[in-house]
Amino acid sequence: MNRKHAQLTALMTAYNAGDPKRIQHFIKVFQLASVIGTLEQVDEETLFVLETAAIVHDIGIRICEQKYHMCDGKHQELEGPAEARKLLATTGNYTEEQIERVCWLVGHHHTYKDIEGIDYQILVEADFLVNIYEDELPAENIRIIKQCIFRTPTGIRLLEDMYEKK
């Protein structure tokens, strides 16, 4: 983990203080996104943006719970980008272009139709790898997710190793 991501992880941990499940969720998604991105040999800039987005991808949950008393994916996509922008801007570690892409990814990470961009694909796969475990999804759901969502060889291999091997 580089210094910028370590700082952002500490800020997101403080943002979600008192909620270890949410904190551990984003740390797991970050790590898996990093592994997939690295093994898929994405370029350095794309990997940096992907890892940043993975850290803040669920930043909209808290504000959704306050505003709507729920935190479904669509509301997260609506509220998350502005929260992510505020947090990223406070660090001084990101260019405007990086912030724009991260906010776009945060605003789309629960939309699974027409996934465009390797950073988007990997973020969705990493989030699913963690959510499958945390939500204890049955084998049939995992099979459908694999068929409909997963595209990277590394993501597919991780999914199979985690959930299909017995």
Side-chain angles (χ1 to χ4, degrees):
M1 178 183 301
N2 67 42
R3 186 175 300 276
K4 291 177 181 180
H5 288 141
Q7 181 185 18
L8 186 59
T9 298
L11 289 171
M12 273 300 290
T13 300
Y15 184 90
N16 289 304
D19 193 341
K21 182 178 179 186
R22 197 166 293 155
I23 293 164
Q24 290 186 27
H25 174 83
F26 83 75
I27 290 171
K28 290 185 278 187
V29 172
F30 163 77
Q31 188 61 51
L32 286 165
S34 183
V35 167
I36 297 169
T38 299
L39 294 178
E40 291 297 317
Q41 300 179 5
V42 301
D43 66 85
E44 191 174 309
E45 176 66 12
T46 302
L47 184 62
F48 181 76
V49 169
L50 166 63
E51 291 173 340
T52 301
I55 294 168
V56 300
H57 76 282
D58 278 343
I59 196 169
I61 290 175
R62 193 176 75 183
I63 196 164
C64 288
E65 289 172 338
Q66 293 167 351
K67 269 177 110 168
Y68 309 109
H69 307 289
M70 64 159 86
C71 61
D72 64 285
K74 287 298 151 199
H75 282 99
Q76 285 180 53
E77 288 181 338
L78 180 66
E79 300 293 342
E83 286 293 292
R85 177 177 298 285
K86 285 190 279 187
L87 187 68
L88 295 173
T90 65
T91 70
N93 290 333
Y94 303 93
T95 67
E96 185 56 35
E97 293 80 20
Q98 290 168 335
I99 292 172
E100 283 299 317
R101 184 62 180 173
V102 169
C103 289
W104 188 89
L105 290 167
V106 169
H108 290 81
H109 80 279
H110 284 290
T111 300
Y112 311 124
K113 185 177 179 221
D114 300 325
I115 293 176
E116 57 186 55
I118 191 68
D119 51 356
Y120 184 11
Q121 180 66 45
I122 293 170
L123 178 61
V124 168
E125 289 180 10
D127 199 24
F128 264 108
L129 287 170
V130 176
N131 285 333
I132 289 168
Y133 174 74
E134 291 178 349
D135 297 341
E136 300 178 359
L137 296 183
E140 178 60 16
N141 292 44
I142 296 168
R143 186 190 66 72
I144 293 167
I145 290 166
K146 178 182 173 185
Q147 180 182 1
C148 296
I149 302 295
F150 279 67
R151 298 289 176 260
T152 69
T154 304
I156 292 167
R157 188 171 59 251
L158 289 170
L159 179 102
E160 290 170 351
D161 286 347
M162 286 182 192
Y163 303 109
E164 292 182 357
K165 309 254 171 159
K166 297 204 181 200

